Amino acid sequence: SVDDVFASKVSVYPNPANEFVTISSAVEINKVEVYSLLGKRVITSSKLNNNNLDISSLSKGVYMLKLTSGNAVATKKIVKN
């Protein structure tokens, strides 16, 4: 599907991360959302600063990163140290 192709063009690093994750993509990302494993949205951003997302406000744990580009959506798992 379109989402699988989009997901394969996106990389998120470092993982695990401390303060920032860098989102590298061949296509423009319109929106980034971070969800806890309980499904609660903890960060929403429509603009990345130098492809970096500030996750310093999050507590340690595992989070799901939802990346949107047009109609395509990719989900990545990140670990916060």
Side-chain angles (χ1 to χ4, degrees):
S1 75
V2 173
D3 290 353
D4 293 337
V5 172
F6 173 55
S8 70
K9 292 183 178 178
V10 176
S11 63
V12 178
Y13 57 90
N15 197 3
N18 291 322
E19 300 196 0
F20 292 94
V21 288
T22 302
I23 300 167
S24 172
S25 171
V27 292
E28 183 182 354
I29 295 174
N30 305 105
K31 186 161 85 169
V32 178
E33 296 171 293
V34 180
Y35 291 88
S36 69
L37 289 184
L38 299 174
K40 181 178 181 220
R41 187 171 56 210
V42 290
I43 295 177
T44 302
S45 175
S46 57
K47 188 163 169 54
L48 293 174
N49 187 7
N50 294 329
N51 292 335
N52 287 332
L53 179 67
D54 184 356
I55 60 167
S56 60
S57 61
L58 299 177
S59 48
K60 291 182 180 184
V62 179
Y63 295 89
M64 297 306 290
L65 200 59
K66 181 179 172 188
L67 307 161
T68 308
S69 175
N71 293 332
V73 176
T75 308
K76 299 283 186 179
K77 186 164 83 172
I78 59 170
V79 177
K80 167 74 163 68
N81 277 343

Coordinates of all heavy atoms in Angstrom, one line a residue:
S1 N 0.8 -1.2 0.0 CA 0.0 0.0 0.0 C 0.9 1.2 0.0 O 2.1 1.2 0.2 CB -0.9 0.0 1.2 OG -0.2 0.3 2.4
V2 N 0.2 2.4 -0.2 CA 1.0 3.7 -0.2 C 1.6 3.9 1.2 O 2.8 4.4 1.2 CB 0.0 4.8 -0.5 CG1 0.7 6.2 -0.3 CG2 -0.6 4.7 -1.9
D3 N 1.0 3.6 2.2 CA 1.6 3.8 3.6 C 2.9 3.0 3.8 O 3.8 3.5 4.4 CB 0.6 3.4 4.7 CG -0.6 4.4 4.7 OD1 -0.6 5.4 4.0 OD2 -1.5 4.2 5.5
D4 N 2.9 1.8 3.3 CA 4.1 0.9 3.4 C 5.3 1.5 2.6 O 6.4 1.5 3.1 CB 3.8 -0.5 2.9 CG 2.9 -1.2 3.8 OD1 2.7 -0.9 4.9 OD2 2.2 -2.2 3.3
V5 N 5.0 2.1 1.4 CA 6.1 2.7 0.7 C 6.6 4.0 1.4 O 7.8 4.2 1.5 CB 5.5 3.1 -0.7 CG1 6.6 3.9 -1.5 CG2 5.2 1.8 -1.5
F6 N 5.7 4.8 1.9 CA 6.0 5.9 2.7 C 6.9 5.6 3.9 O 7.9 6.1 4.2 CB 4.8 6.7 3.1 CG 5.1 7.9 4.0 CD1 6.0 8.9 3.7 CD2 4.4 8.0 5.2 CE1 6.2 9.9 4.5 CE2 4.6 9.1 6.1 CZ 5.6 10.0 5.7
A7 N 6.4 4.5 4.6 CA 7.1 4.1 5.8 C 8.5 3.7 5.5 O 9.5 3.9 6.3 CB 6.3 3.0 6.5
S8 N 8.7 3.0 4.4 CA 10.1 2.6 4.0 C 11.0 3.7 3.6 O 12.2 3.5 3.6 CB 10.0 1.6 2.9 OG 9.6 2.2 1.7
K9 N 10.5 4.9 3.3 CA 11.3 6.0 3.0 C 11.6 6.9 4.2 O 12.2 8.0 4.0 CB 10.5 6.9 1.9 CG 10.4 6.2 0.6 CD 9.8 7.1 -0.4 CE 9.7 6.4 -1.8 NZ 9.0 7.2 -2.8
V10 N 11.2 6.5 5.3 CA 11.4 7.4 6.5 C 12.3 6.6 7.5 O 12.1 5.4 7.7 CB 10.0 7.6 7.2 CG1 10.2 8.4 8.5 CG2 9.1 8.4 6.3
S11 N 13.3 7.3 8.0 CA 14.1 6.7 9.1 C 14.1 7.7 10.3 O 14.1 8.9 10.1 CB 15.5 6.4 8.6 OG 16.1 7.6 8.3
V12 N 14.1 7.1 11.5 CA 14.1 7.9 12.7 C 15.3 7.4 13.5 O 15.4 6.2 13.8 CB 12.8 7.6 13.5 CG1 12.8 8.4 14.8 CG2 11.5 8.0 12.7
Y13 N 16.1 8.3 14.0 CA 17.3 8.0 14.7 C 17.7 9.2 15.6 O 17.2 10.3 15.4 CB 18.5 7.6 13.8 CG 18.8 8.7 12.8 CD1 19.8 9.7 13.1 CD2 18.1 8.8 11.5 CE1 20.1 10.7 12.2 CE2 18.4 9.8 10.6 CZ 19.4 10.7 11.0 OH 19.7 11.8 10.1
P14 N 18.5 9.0 16.7 CA 18.9 7.8 17.2 C 17.7 7.1 17.9 O 16.8 7.8 18.3 CB 20.0 8.2 18.2 CG 19.5 9.5 18.7 CD 18.9 10.2 17.5
N15 N 17.8 5.8 18.1 CA 16.7 5.1 18.8 C 17.4 4.0 19.6 O 17.9 3.0 19.0 CB 15.7 4.6 17.8 CG 14.4 4.2 18.4 OD1 14.2 4.3 19.6 ND2 13.5 3.6 17.6
P16 N 17.5 4.0 20.9 CA 16.8 5.0 21.8 C 17.4 6.4 21.8 O 18.6 6.5 21.4 CB 17.0 4.3 23.2 CG 18.1 3.3 23.0 CD 18.2 2.9 21.6
A17 N 16.6 7.3 22.2 CA 17.0 8.7 22.1 C 16.9 9.4 23.5 O 16.2 8.8 24.4 CB 16.1 9.5 21.1
N18 N 17.6 10.5 23.7 CA 17.5 11.2 25.0 C 16.7 12.5 24.9 O 15.7 12.6 25.6 CB 18.9 11.5 25.5 CG 19.7 10.3 25.9 OD1 19.1 9.4 26.5 ND2 21.0 10.3 25.6
E19 N 17.1 13.4 24.0 CA 16.4 14.7 23.9 C 15.7 14.9 22.6 O 14.7 15.6 22.5 CB 17.3 15.8 24.3 CG 17.9 15.7 25.7 CD 18.5 16.9 26.2 OE1 18.6 17.9 25.4 OE2 19.0 16.9 27.3
F20 N 16.4 14.5 21.5 CA 15.9 14.7 20.2 C 15.9 13.4 19.3 O 16.8 12.6 19.5 CB 16.7 15.8 19.4 CG 16.6 17.1 20.0 CD1 17.5 17.6 20.9 CD2 15.6 18.0 19.6 CE1 17.5 18.9 21.5 CE2 15.5 19.3 20.1 CZ 16.4 19.7 21.1
V21 N 14.9 13.3 18.4 CA 15.0 12.3 17.4 C 15.1 13.0 16.1 O 14.4 14.0 15.9 CB 13.9 11.3 17.4 CG1 14.0 10.3 18.6 CG2 12.5 11.9 17.3
T22 N 15.9 12.5 15.1 CA 16.0 13.1 13.8 C 15.1 12.2 12.9 O 15.2 11.0 12.9 CB 17.4 13.1 13.3 OG1 18.2 13.9 14.3 CG2 17.6 13.7 12.0
I23 N 14.3 12.9 12.1 CA 13.4 12.2 11.2 C 13.9 12.5 9.8 O 13.9 13.7 9.3 CB 11.9 12.7 11.4 CG1 11.5 12.3 12.8 CG2 11.0 12.0 10.4 CD1 10.2 13.0 13.2
S24 N 14.4 11.5 9.1 CA 14.9 11.6 7.8 C 13.9 11.0 6.8 O 13.5 9.9 6.9 CB 16.3 10.9 7.7 OG 16.7 10.9 6.4
S25 N 13.5 11.8 5.8 CA 12.5 11.3 4.8 C 12.8 11.9 3.4 O 13.2 13.0 3.3 CB 11.1 11.8 5.3 OG 10.2 11.5 4.3
A26 N 12.5 11.1 2.4 CA 12.6 11.5 1.0 C 11.4 12.4 0.6 O 11.5 13.1 -0.3 CB 12.6 10.3 0.1
V27 N 10.3 12.3 1.4 CA 9.2 13.2 1.1 C 8.9 14.1 2.3 O 9.4 13.9 3.4 CB 7.9 12.3 0.8 CG1 8.1 11.5 -0.4 CG2 7.7 11.4 2.0
E28 N 8.1 15.2 2.0 CA 7.9 16.2 3.0 C 6.9 15.6 4.0 O 5.9 15.0 3.7 CB 7.3 17.4 2.4 CG 7.0 18.5 3.4 CD 6.4 19.8 2.8 OE1 6.2 19.8 1.6 OE2 6.0 20.6 3.6
I29 N 7.2 15.8 5.3 CA 6.3 15.3 6.4 C 5.5 16.5 6.9 O 6.0 17.5 7.3 CB 7.1 14.7 7.5 CG1 7.8 13.4 7.0 CG2 6.2 14.4 8.7 CD1 8.7 12.8 8.0
N30 N 4.1 16.4 6.8 CA 3.2 17.5 7.2 C 3.0 17.5 8.7 O 2.8 18.6 9.2 CB 1.9 17.3 6.4 CG 2.1 17.2 4.9 OD1 2.0 16.1 4.4 ND2 2.4 18.3 4.3
K31 N 2.9 16.4 9.3 CA 2.6 16.4 10.7 C 3.3 15.2 11.4 O 3.4 14.1 10.9 CB 1.1 16.3 10.9 CG 0.6 16.4 12.3 CD -0.9 16.8 12.4 CE -1.7 15.5 12.4 NZ -3.1 15.8 12.7
V32 N 3.7 15.5 12.7 CA 4.3 14.4 13.5 C 3.5 14.4 14.8 O 3.3 15.4 15.4 CB 5.8 14.7 13.8 CG1 6.4 13.7 14.7 CG2 6.6 14.8 12.5
E33 N 3.1 13.2 15.2 CA 2.4 13.0 16.5 C 3.1 11.9 17.2 O 3.6 10.9 16.6 CB 1.0 12.6 16.3 CG 0.2 13.7 15.6 CD -1.2 13.3 15.2 OE1 -1.3 12.4 14.3 OE2 -2.2 13.7 15.8
V34 N 3.3 12.1 18.5 CA 3.9 11.0 19.4 C 2.8 10.6 20.4 O 2.1 11.4 21.0 CB 5.1 11.6 20.2 CG1 5.7 10.5 21.1 CG2 6.1 12.2 19.2
Y35 N 2.6 9.2 20.4 CA 1.6 8.6 21.3 C 2.3 7.7 22.3 O 3.3 7.0 22.0 CB 0.6 7.8 20.5 CG -0.3 8.6 19.6 CD1 0.1 8.9 18.3 CD2 -1.5 9.0 20.1 CE1 -0.7 9.6 17.5 CE2 -2.4 9.7 19.3 CZ -2.0 10.0 18.0 OH -2.8 10.8 17.2
S36 N 1.8 7.7 23.6 CA 2.2 6.8 24.5 C 1.6 5.4 24.2 O 0.7 5.3 23.3 CB 1.7 7.1 25.9 OG 0.3 7.0 26.0
L37 N 2.1 4.3 24.8 CA 1.6 3.0 24.4 C 0.2 2.8 24.9 O -0.5 1.9 24.5 CB 2.5 1.9 25.0 CG 3.8 1.8 24.3 CD1 4.6 0.6 24.9 CD2 3.7 1.5 22.9
L38 N -0.3 3.7 25.7 CA -1.7 3.7 26.2 C -2.6 4.4 25.2 O -3.8 4.5 25.3 CB -1.9 4.4 27.5 CG -1.1 3.7 28.7 CD1 -1.2 4.5 30.0 CD2 -1.6 2.3 28.9
G39 N -2.0 5.0 24.1 CA -2.8 5.6 23.1 C -3.0 7.1 23.3 O -3.8 7.8 22.5
K40 N -2.4 7.7 24.3 CA -2.6 9.1 24.6 C -1.6 9.9 23.8 O -0.4 9.6 23.7 CB -2.3 9.4 26.1 CG -2.5 10.8 26.5 CD -2.3 11.0 28.0 CE -2.5 12.4 28.3 NZ -1.5 13.0 29.3
R41 N -2.1 10.9 23.0 CA -1.2 11.8 22.3 C -0.4 12.7 23.2 O -1.0 13.4 24.0 CB -2.0 12.6 21.2 CG -1.1 13.3 20.3 CD -1.8 13.9 19.1 NE -2.9 14.8 19.6 CZ -4.1 15.0 19.0 NH1 -4.3 14.4 17.8 NH2 -5.0 15.8 19.5
V42 N 0.9 12.7 23.1 CA 1.7 13.5 24.1 C 2.4 14.6 23.4 O 2.8 15.6 24.0 CB 2.7 12.6 24.9 CG1 2.0 11.7 25.8 CG2 3.5 11.7 23.9
I43 N 2.7 14.5 22.0 CA 3.3 15.6 21.3 C 2.6 15.7 19.9 O 2.4 14.6 19.3 CB 4.8 15.3 21.1 CG1 5.6 15.4 22.4 CG2 5.4 16.4 20.1 CD1 7.0 15.1 22.3
T44 N 2.3 16.9 19.5 CA 1.9 17.1 18.1 C 2.7 18.2 17.5 O 2.9 19.3 18.2 CB 0.4 17.5 18.1 OG1 -0.4 16.5 18.7 CG2 -0.1 17.7 16.6
S45 N 3.3 18.1 16.3 CA 4.1 19.1 15.7 C 3.8 19.1 14.2 O 3.8 18.0 13.6 CB 5.5 18.8 16.0 OG 6.3 19.8 15.3
S46 N 3.6 20.3 13.6 CA 3.4 20.3 12.2 C 4.7 20.9 11.5 O 4.8 21.0 10.3 CB 2.2 21.2 11.8 OG 2.4 22.5 12.4
K47 N 5.7 21.2 12.3 CA 6.9 21.8 11.8 C 8.1 21.2 12.5 O 8.2 21.3 13.8 CB 6.9 23.3 11.9 CG 8.0 24.0 11.2 CD 7.7 25.4 11.0 CE 8.8 26.3 10.6 NZ 9.6 26.0 9.4
L48 N 9.0 20.6 11.8 CA 10.2 20.0 12.4 C 11.3 21.1 12.3 O 11.4 21.8 11.3 CB 10.7 18.8 11.7 CG 9.8 17.6 11.8 CD1 10.3 16.4 10.9 CD2 9.7 17.1 13.2
N49 N 12.1 21.2 13.3 CA 13.3 22.1 13.4 C 14.5 21.3 12.9 O 15.0 20.5 13.7 CB 13.4 22.7 14.8 CG 14.4 23.8 14.9 OD1 14.9 24.2 13.8 ND2 14.7 24.2 16.0
N50 N 15.0 21.6 11.7 CA 16.1 20.9 11.2 C 15.9 19.3 11.2 O 16.8 18.6 11.5 CB 17.4 21.2 11.9 CG 17.8 22.7 11.7 OD1 17.5 23.2 10.6 ND2 18.5 23.2 12.6
N51 N 14.7 18.9 10.9 CA 14.3 17.5 10.9 C 14.4 16.9 12.3 O 14.4 15.7 12.4 CB 15.1 16.7 9.9 CG 14.8 17.0 8.5 OD1 13.7 17.5 8.2 ND2 15.7 16.8 7.6
N52 N 14.5 17.7 13.4 CA 14.6 17.2 14.7 C 13.3 17.4 15.4 O 12.6 18.4 15.3 CB 15.7 17.9 15.5 CG 17.1 17.5 15.1 OD1 17.3 16.4 14.6 ND2 18.0 18.4 15.2
L53 N 12.9 16.4 16.2 CA 11.7 16.5 17.1 C 12.2 16.4 18.5 O 12.9 15.5 18.9 CB 10.8 15.3 16.8 CG 9.5 15.3 17.6 CD1 8.6 16.5 17.3 CD2 8.8 14.0 17.4
D54 N 11.8 17.5 19.3 CA 12.2 17.6 20.7 C 11.4 16.6 21.6 O 10.2 16.8 21.6 CB 12.1 19.0 21.2 CG 12.5 19.2 22.6 OD1 12.9 18.2 23.3 OD2 12.5 20.4 23.1
I55 N 12.0 15.6 22.1 CA 11.2 14.7 23.0 C 11.7 14.8 24.4 O 11.5 13.9 25.3 CB 11.3 13.2 22.5 CG1 12.8 12.7 22.4 CG2 10.7 13.1 21.1 CD1 13.0 11.2 22.3
S56 N 12.4 15.9 24.8 CA 13.0 16.0 26.1 C 12.0 16.1 27.2 O 12.2 15.7 28.3 CB 13.9 17.2 26.2 OG 13.2 18.4 25.9
S57 N 10.7 16.5 26.8 CA 9.7 16.6 27.8 C 9.0 15.2 28.2 O 8.3 15.1 29.2 CB 8.6 17.5 27.3 OG 8.0 17.0 26.1
L58 N 9.3 14.2 27.4 CA 8.7 12.9 27.6 C 9.5 12.2 28.7 O 10.7 12.3 28.9 CB 8.8 12.0 26.4 CG 8.0 12.6 25.2 CD1 8.2 11.6 24.0 CD2 6.6 12.7 25.4
S59 N 8.7 11.3 29.5 CA 9.4 10.5 30.5 C 9.9 9.2 29.8 O 9.6 8.9 28.6 CB 8.4 10.1 31.6 OG 7.2 9.7 31.1
K60 N 10.8 8.5 30.5 CA 11.4 7.3 29.9 C 10.3 6.3 29.5 O 9.3 6.1 30.2 CB 12.4 6.6 30.9 CG 13.6 7.4 31.1 CD 14.5 6.7 32.1 CE 15.7 7.5 32.4 NZ 16.7 6.8 33.2
G61 N 10.5 5.6 28.3 CA 9.6 4.6 27.9 C 9.5 4.5 26.4 O 10.4 5.0 25.7
V62 N 8.5 3.7 26.0 CA 8.4 3.4 24.5 C 7.2 4.3 24.0 O 6.2 4.4 24.7 CB 8.1 1.9 24.3 CG1 7.9 1.6 22.9 CG2 9.2 1.1 24.9
Y63 N 7.4 4.8 22.8 CA 6.3 5.7 22.2 C 6.2 5.3 20.8 O 7.1 4.8 20.1 CB 6.7 7.2 22.3 CG 6.8 7.7 23.8 CD1 8.0 7.6 24.5 CD2 5.7 8.2 24.4 CE1 8.0 8.0 25.8 CE2 5.7 8.6 25.7 CZ 6.9 8.5 26.4 OH 7.0 8.9 27.7
M64 N 5.0 5.6 20.2 CA 4.7 5.4 18.8 C 4.8 6.8 18.2 O 4.1 7.8 18.6 CB 3.4 4.8 18.6 CG 3.3 3.4 19.2 SD 4.5 2.2 18.7 CE 4.1 2.0 17.0
L65 N 5.5 6.9 17.1 CA 5.6 8.1 16.3 C 4.7 8.0 15.0 O 4.9 7.0 14.3 CB 7.1 8.2 15.9 CG 7.7 9.6 15.5 CD1 7.5 10.6 16.6 CD2 9.1 9.4 15.1
K66 N 3.8 8.9 14.9 CA 2.9 8.8 13.7 C 3.3 10.0 12.8 O 3.2 11.1 13.2 CB 1.4 9.0 14.2 CG 0.4 8.9 13.0 CD -1.0 9.0 13.6 CE -2.0 9.2 12.5 NZ -3.3 9.5 13.0
L67 N 3.7 9.6 11.6 CA 4.2 10.6 10.6 C 3.2 10.7 9.5 O 2.8 9.7 8.9 CB 5.6 10.2 10.1 CG 6.6 9.9 11.2 CD1 7.8 9.1 10.6 CD2 7.1 11.2 11.8
T68 N 2.8 11.9 9.1 CA 1.8 12.1 8.1 C 2.4 12.9 6.9 O 3.0 13.9 7.2 CB 0.5 12.8 8.6 OG1 0.1 12.1 9.8 CG2 -0.6 12.8 7.6
S69 N 2.2 12.4 5.7 CA 2.7 13.1 4.5 C 1.5 13.0 3.5 O 1.3 12.0 2.9 CB 3.9 12.5 3.9 OG 4.3 13.1 2.7
G70 N 0.8 14.1 3.4 CA -0.4 14.1 2.5 C -1.4 13.1 3.0 O -1.8 13.1 4.1
N71 N -1.7 12.0 2.2 CA -2.6 11.0 2.6 C -1.9 9.8 3.2 O -2.6 8.9 3.7 CB -3.5 10.5 1.4 CG -4.4 11.6 1.0 OD1 -4.9 12.4 1.7 ND2 -4.8 11.6 -0.3
A72 N -0.6 9.8 3.1 CA 0.2 8.6 3.6 C 0.5 8.8 5.1 O 0.8 9.9 5.6 CB 1.4 8.4 2.8
V73 N 0.4 7.7 5.8 CA 0.8 7.7 7.3 C 1.8 6.6 7.6 O 1.6 5.5 7.1 CB -0.5 7.5 8.1 CG1 -0.2 7.4 9.6 CG2 -1.5 8.6 7.9
A74 N 2.8 6.9 8.3 CA 3.8 5.9 8.8 C 3.8 5.9 10.3 O 3.7 6.9 10.9 CB 5.1 6.2 8.1
T75 N 4.0 4.7 10.8 CA 4.2 4.6 12.3 C 5.5 4.0 12.6 O 5.9 3.0 12.0 CB 3.0 3.7 12.9 OG1 1.8 4.2 12.4 CG2 3.1 3.8 14.4
K76 N 6.2 4.7 13.5 CA 7.5 4.1 14.0 C 7.5 4.1 15.5 O 6.9 4.9 16.2 CB 8.7 5.1 13.5 CG 8.8 5.3 12.0 CD 9.5 4.1 11.4 CE 9.7 4.4 9.9 NZ 10.4 3.2 9.3
K77 N 8.3 3.1 16.0 CA 8.4 3.0 17.5 C 9.7 3.6 17.9 O 10.7 3.4 17.3 CB 8.4 1.5 17.9 CG 8.3 1.2 19.3 CD 7.9 -0.2 19.7 CE 9.1 -1.1 19.6 NZ 8.8 -2.5 20.1
I78 N 9.6 4.4 18.9 CA 10.9 5.0 19.5 C 10.9 4.8 21.0 O 9.9 4.6 21.7 CB 10.9 6.6 19.2 CG1 9.8 7.3 19.9 CG2 11.0 6.9 17.8 CD1 9.9 8.8 19.9
V79 N 12.2 4.7 21.5 CA 12.4 4.5 22.9 C 13.1 5.8 23.4 O 14.1 6.3 22.9 CB 13.3 3.3 23.1 CG1 13.6 3.1 24.6 CG2 12.7 2.0 22.6
K80 N 12.5 6.3 24.5 CA 13.1 7.5 25.2 C 13.9 7.0 26.4 O 13.4 6.3 27.3 CB 12.0 8.4 25.6 CG 12.4 9.5 26.6 CD 13.1 10.6 25.9 CE 13.2 11.9 26.7 NZ 13.9 11.9 27.9
N81 N 15.2 7.4 26.5 CA 16.0 7.0 27.6 C 15.9 8.0 28.8 O 15.7 9.2 28.6 CB 17.5 7.0 27.2 CG 17.8 5.7 26.6 OD1 17.1 4.7 26.8 ND2 18.9 5.6 25.9

